[in-house]
């Protein structure tokens, strides 16, 4: 095992099970989190806890980060006690957080100056995918770095090389746009149907057999019409992603009217205390607008 | 065969093959279209051409209509020489046009006064579904009328009883909302990706394996990124459907912000001479907004 020593930064609901898979696969792990208590379950499995990202980077062949947002990734890599302050040349850097493609490209450029190849590798599949090691991993960067990262990433899910630096984050952004608008379509369809007196279960049954079918409807339709909005993927994370996406659209000179509307409706979810509900709870905003509930009796 | 005599009104791109299936199944057909020439292929197969909807209704056990829009359906049923002016009690009326659920319920009420059961039975599946008799048929009305109509409808596709009068049109409306917003999501995802320099083929490949998957992406994604917008389902028909849907939303006291945005973007397609392109050409409006093209080289 060439890259035996892995440093893992960010041990939240996603990072915790991902790091655990790497320990179980025989990698030698050093871990870091702003909240020291989060390192304990991994230390119990044999990991060492580092005092900073800088200290972690100095003893790692590969550094993986899984943090909430662009500023957190910037702090982890570029901060005074960050990864780039301690890293040796040729250490492979893999940021698996969902952040702005622009930020991802910027950090990768600074890493390259130190001789460190870097990949952006955001995931979809949520905490269930993290636990089951079935994440879809969207990777941007050089093919050589991708080949080096592959055996590690395959312990956590299925990696796909999407293009050069930033391409992983871009494809993740595309994914979040499509999912948001598929949910918006489902929400408006079910609300119109409910107002017109049609059983939402019939609507899902008929639509899912035709051109209107989508995986969000297949996976979440039944739960939505029975009022079950337990996450899953919390709406506040999708809201954060849509915010990043619109900033990215600005950076690339791109106009996304549907995404902008979805962002505003996700903002309404946050304003109405729905941040910890599943993102499918978007329908509750459309229900509010139309003063109705699209629930099935069945 | 109790309902041997069928009157079929509206022999356009959909009605023509649908009526042909009924002749081939052994039904005795009388046909009518505003354009006399459209009756000729069916007369050649053994149908009789009537001089008006009224005359057609007088000799039919079952009347089927397949016309473009709500005013056409109103004219066919309620006009001076319309179906209700000539119909006998107990004649089964089936409107397979896509019209407003409110108009559908109104015509059905007037038919009921004459002792005629009526079903709204709009379809999805397009001209290919009509030719192959694989239409998805969304039916609103009484269960008894549905049972009576079923052997006829099954010659054209798969009927599903969705609820009382108007429910078929409502579910069709829901279908068109969901399809429009799935296309909007795909369009914005591909355009952002293209602006950020990612191959659209990679975006479709990754998204279709995850939560973002939709049948419109599966069926049309490859054609869209190669610039093939041959219909399929012409955008001007989807535009018409969205117009009906927003009027229906007004009638039922319903606010549908995503559908309203989709309607405006479909209006832009009509303004830009894209009415006869497939509805997937919605991406060309998003491309215009961002001054780019999301095309694959592969």
């Amino acid at each position: 095992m060439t890259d035996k020593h892995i440093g893992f930064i960010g041990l939240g609901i996603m990072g915790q099970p991902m790091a655990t898979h790497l320990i179980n696969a025989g990698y030698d792990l050093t871990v870091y989190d702003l909240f020291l208590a989060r390192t304990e379950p991994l230390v119990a499995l044999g990991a060492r806890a580092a005092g900073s990202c800088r200290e972690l980077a100095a003893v790692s062949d590969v550094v993986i980060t899984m943090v909430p947002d662009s500023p957190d990734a910037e702090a982890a890599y570029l901060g005074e006690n960050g990864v780039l302050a301690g890293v040796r040349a040729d250490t492979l850097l893999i940021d698996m957080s969902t952040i702005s493609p622009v930020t991802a490209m910027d950090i990768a450029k600074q890493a390259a100056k130190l001789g460190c190849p870097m990949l952006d590798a955001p995931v979809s599949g949520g905490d269930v995918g993290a636990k089951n090691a079935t994440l879809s991993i969207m990777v941007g960067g050089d093919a050589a770095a991708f080949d080096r990262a592959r055996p590690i990433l395959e312990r956590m899910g299925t990696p796909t090389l999407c293009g050069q630096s930033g391409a992983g984050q871009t494809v993740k952004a595309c994914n979040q746009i499509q999912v948001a608008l598929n949910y918006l379509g489902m929400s408006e369809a079910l609300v119109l149907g409910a107002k017109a007196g049609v059983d939402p279960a019939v609507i899902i049954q008929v639509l899912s057999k035709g051109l209107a079918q989508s995986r969000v409807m297949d996976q979440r339709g039944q739960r939505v019409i029975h009022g079950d909005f337990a996450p899953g993927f919390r709406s506040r994370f999708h809201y954060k992603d849509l915010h990043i996406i619109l900033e990215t659209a600005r950076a690339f000179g791109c106009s996304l009217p549907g995404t902008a509307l979805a962002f505003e409706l996700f903002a309404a979810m946050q304003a109405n205390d729905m941040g910890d509900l599943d993102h499918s709870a978007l329908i509750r905003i459309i229900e509010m607008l139309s003063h109705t509930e699209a629930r099935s009796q069945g």
Side-chain angles (χ1 to χ4, degrees), chain A:
Chain A
M1 209 181 262
T2 322
D3 290 320
K4 187 166 173 57
H5 297 276
I6 298 180
F8 203 109
I9 297 167
L11 303 166
I13 195 168
M14 297 294 291
Q16 192 79 235
M18 290 161 72
T20 303
H21 292 310
L22 298 179
I23 292 186
N24 292 342
Y27 288 102
D28 199 356
L29 244 67
T30 306
V31 296
Y32 177 76
D33 193 284
L34 288 176
F35 302 97
L36 189 64
R38 286 185 176 169
T39 62
E40 286 165 12
L42 291 156
V43 169
L45 292 174
R48 281 157 305 180
S52 69
C53 296
R54 177 182 187 158
E55 188 186 314
L56 172 145
V59 298
S60 299
D61 305 315
V62 178
V63 174
I64 297 174
T65 44
M66 190 62 176
V67 298
D69 204 344
S70 298
D72 309 294
E74 284 178 321
Y77 283 99
L78 311 179
E80 198 182 337
N81 287 305
V83 171
L84 295 196
V87 83
R88 296 165 293 173
D90 204 40
T91 300
L92 174 61
L93 309 178
I94 310 174
D95 180 29
M96 302 187 75
S97 324
T98 294
I99 66 168
S100 158
V102 178
T103 306
M105 286 185 275
D106 179 50
I107 299 174
K109 258 185 213 160
Q110 302 201 42
K113 287 180 196 163
L114 302 174
C116 294
M118 182 160 187
L119 299 170
D120 47 298
V123 306
S124 75
D127 55 332
V128 174
K131 273 177 202 138
N132 299 337
T134 56
L135 294 168
S136 170
I137 307 172
M138 294 152 267
V139 186
D142 289 336
F146 178 73
D147 288 340
R148 185 174 160 196
R150 192 200 292 264
I152 298 167
L153 296 176
E154 283 176 345
R155 294 294 174 173
M156 298 179 276
T158 306
T160 305
L161 183 61
C162 299
Q164 285 302 312
S165 179
Q169 296 296 350
T170 296
V171 173
K172 175 72 192 278
C174 295
N175 190 79
Q176 298 304 74
I177 290 172
Q178 180 77 68
V179 169
L181 285 164
N182 289 1
Y183 269 131
L184 183 56
M186 185 172 95
S187 300
E188 297 198 2
L190 290 173
V191 166
L192 177 67
K195 289 287 269 194
V198 178
D199 181 355
V202 170
I203 295 169
I204 288 178
Q205 181 206 328
V206 174
L207 266 55
S208 62
K209 282 188 289 192
L211 187 60
Q213 177 275 344
S214 68
R215 196 156 288 150
V216 297
M217 185 180 280
D218 292 346
Q219 290 194 359
R220 278 278 162 176
Q222 285 301 324
R223 294 173 69 169
V224 162
I225 64 175
H226 290 94
D228 175 5
F229 299 112
F233 186 65
R234 289 170 205 273
S235 80
R236 61 190 166 90
F237 295 128
H238 206 148
Y239 176 60
K240 180 214 85 174
D241 291 351
L242 291 169
H243 184 252
I244 289 173
I245 289 163
L246 291 174
E247 284 193 328
T248 305
R250 290 300 78 74
F252 287 115
C254 206
S255 167
L256 305 177
T259 306
L261 173 61
F263 175 67
E264 292 300 330
L265 295 170
F266 272 80
M269 294 175 81
Q270 312 317 305
N272 283 277
D273 211 17
M274 301 177 192
D276 284 321
L277 298 185
D278 187 69
H279 51 165
S280 59
L282 175 59
I283 193 173
R284 289 189 53 190
I285 299 300
I286 305 299
E287 289 173 335
M288 280 172 49
L289 295 176
S290 294
H291 194 63
T292 192
E293 280 198 346
R295 298 288 173 273
S296 184
Q297 305 310 314

